[in-house]
Amino acid sequence: MWLRAKAKDARSLSAGEEAYLDRELAIKLRERMEHEASIRWWQLFGIEGHSLDCLEAEAKFITHLDNIFKCPPASQFLAPSDTKRRSHHAYHFSRQCVYHGVEYVAPPTTRLLELMLYGYFPYENTWIYLDRRSQLSSDGYKKPKQWLALPPGEIPQDRLGITIEISTGWRSLIRSQSPAALFSSLKPFEKENLAREFGAEGSHQHWLEHIVEGLFFERGHRSRISISYAGESEGQHLTLAELIAEEGRTPGKKVVMHDGDYLNCEPGNLIVRSNRGRTMSCKTCRRLTTKDQSEITKDSLGSSLRICHSCLRWMARTSE
C-alpha cells in the first residue's frame, strides 16, 4: 500500500529530481548498450574470425562488408577510422551448447555499432536503415534482409533510432525514444506506473535510487527493459528498392532483384513486376507455391528459377 501511495509522487517530482533520474537511467542505458553491442559484434563477426584490434584489421573488415553490401556499399556510410581501441567482453555458445566467455580489443561502442550498420544513414535524398526484424514466412523460412527507407523528407529523431521498452505489470508496456531523458519524457501516469513497479520502501532518496536499480535488475535472466534500434520494430516499411524503382510503393506491383541479391539495389538490378493474378510453381518439385513460400534463384546459365523453401532446404542439406 505504501508503494502504491508513494508512486503518485512520481507525477510531481521537482526538476532536479527528474534530472537525477534521467541522468542515472542514461548511465545504466549506456552500460547496457555497451554490453549488448559487444556481444552482438562478437556473435556476428568475432566467431567468424574477424578482428578490429588495429586500423589495418578494421580496413579489412570494411572490405568484407562491401563484398556483402553491394549497392549501396557499406563503406559509403562509415566515417574514417581512428586509433581509439578498448577492451570488450562477450560470450557465445558452441554447437555443444558450451558457454565461452571472451575478451577482445575493438573500437568504442559507438564505432562498433556503426561498423555493424546500426541506425539511419543518409543516402541521396533519404535516410535508409537495415531490416533487422526476425521475420519468418508462413512456412517458417527466414525472409531476406534488405535496406529500408524512411519516406522522402522524413528525418529521424536520432541516428541510432533507439526505442526503449519497459515491461510493467501484466502485459503493460512503456515506450520511449528519449534515452537521455527517459523519465522526464514519460506521461504522468507512466511515471507513476514506473515508480509503483520498481520503487522500494524507505526514505525518499532511497525510493528514487531504487527506481533506477529496480528497473535494470535482472529477474530470472529476463530484463524488464529492452533497447531496440532502427529496423528492429515490426510494421509496414518502405524498401529502398521500391523507392529507387518506383519512387514509392505501388499497389499490385513488387520489386525483385535480377541477381536475387536483396542487398544489391543497383537500378539495373531492380525489376518491377505485377503481383496479381499469377500462379506460381516450384521449378524443382512442380508444386504450387507463393511469393512468401519461395525464392527467385539463378541457374548456371543465368536463368531465373522459382524454388520453394522446402526444396531450398533440401538443396542446402545435400550440398553439405
Side-chain angles (χ1 to χ4, degrees):
M1 293 298 293
W2 185 91
L3 280 175
R4 184 175 292 274
K6 181 65 175 176
K8 297 184 182 300
D9 292 348
R11 292 173 173 257
S12 55
L13 294 176
S14 68
E17 289 169 330
E18 289 205 346
Y20 165 79
L21 288 175
D22 283 342
R23 182 175 62 253
E24 295 301 312
L25 288 171
I27 291 172
K28 291 287 189 181
L29 282 170
R30 185 167 60 251
E31 292 174 350
R32 173 66 63 82
M33 289 172 61
E34 290 176 351
H35 177 66
E36 291 183 348
S38 296
I39 294 173
R40 290 186 190 203
W41 190 87
W42 183 261
Q43 293 180 343
L44 280 172
F45 301 109
I47 56 178
E48 298 295 328
H50 294 287
S51 173
L52 298 175
D53 59 354
C54 62
L55 290 177
E56 292 76 14
E58 188 173 333
K60 185 177 180 180
F61 175 72
I62 293 173
T63 300
H64 164 75
L65 289 182
D66 279 347
N67 291 332
I68 299 173
F69 298 90
K70 303 291 180 60
C71 181
S75 57
Q76 177 177 337
F77 307 123
L78 302 177
S81 305
D82 61 32
T83 57
K84 293 180 181 178
R85 294 292 184 273
R86 53 159 286 188
S87 177
H88 293 266
H89 297 272
Y91 68 87
H92 69 274
F93 289 93
S94 67
R95 291 184 177 180
Q96 293 75 31
C97 295
V98 177
Y99 174 91
H100 294 277
V102 295
E103 182 177 352
Y104 63 94
V105 175
T109 301
T110 52
R111 178 63 172 177
L112 209 57
L113 288 168
E114 183 182 7
L115 290 171
M116 291 190 289
L117 300 178
Y118 275 93
Y120 295 102
F121 299 93
Y123 179 69
E124 297 185 353
N125 297 319
T126 189
W127 289 83
I128 67 173
Y129 55 104
L130 276 178
D131 183 0
R132 299 182 184 273
R133 295 169 292 174
S134 299
Q135 283 192 318
L136 298 176
S137 59
S138 59
D139 60 349
Y141 194 86
K142 195 170 185 179
K143 292 185 177 181
K145 302 301 181 186
Q146 58 182 313
W147 286 108
L148 305 177
L150 291 177
E154 185 173 327
I155 300 175
Q157 294 183 7
D158 70 270
R159 198 196 70 75
L160 287 172
I162 294 175
T163 298
I164 303 153
E165 293 189 346
I166 305 169
S167 299
T168 60
W170 179 249
R171 293 188 178 180
S172 177
L173 207 61
I174 296 175
R175 287 186 175 89
S176 174
Q177 294 179 322
S178 304
L182 175 54
F183 187 83
S184 60
S185 65
L186 300 179
K187 298 175 182 178
F189 77 91
E190 291 176 327
K191 295 176 181 178
E192 181 179 344
N193 289 345
L194 198 69
R196 183 172 62 247
E197 186 77 16
F198 302 108
E201 292 189 33
S203 66
H204 183 72
Q205 183 61 31
H206 176 75
W207 173 70
L208 289 174
E209 292 172 354
H210 206 276
I211 291 175
V212 177
E213 296 299 326
L215 178 55
F216 284 87
F217 180 75
E218 301 284 345
R219 291 174 170 83
H221 303 290
R222 296 186 63 185
S223 176
R224 303 293 293 277
I225 184 168
S226 62
I227 305 168
S228 61
Y229 300 90
E232 293 183 334
S233 62
E234 298 299 326
Q236 292 294 320
H237 296 263
L238 178 69
T239 70
L240 178 60
E242 290 171 328
L243 192 63
I244 293 174
E246 299 186 273
E247 297 185 353
R249 181 167 293 148
T250 303
K253 301 283 186 176
K254 64 178 179 180
V255 180
V256 297
M257 280 60 175
H258 180 73
D259 62 0
D261 184 356
Y262 280 80
L263 293 172
N264 182 5
C265 291
E266 184 71 35
N269 191 45
L270 305 180
I271 302 173
V272 181
R273 293 176 175 170
S274 171
N275 61 1
R276 292 176 176 171
R278 296 182 63 190
T279 59
M280 300 179 184
S281 62
C282 173
K283 294 300 181 181
T284 300
C285 66
R286 303 297 179 181
R287 294 176 181 173
L288 291 179
T289 186
T290 66
K291 173 189 173 184
D292 194 37
Q293 298 173 341
S294 60
E295 301 292 332
I296 297 292
T297 63
K298 294 282 186 179
D299 63 12
S300 59
L301 299 178
S303 300
S304 297
L305 303 175
R306 179 170 294 279
I307 309 295
C308 71
H309 291 163
S310 295
C311 289
L312 286 173
R313 289 196 193 95
W314 175 79
M315 291 176 181
R317 287 196 302 270
T318 55
S319 63
E320 292 179 352

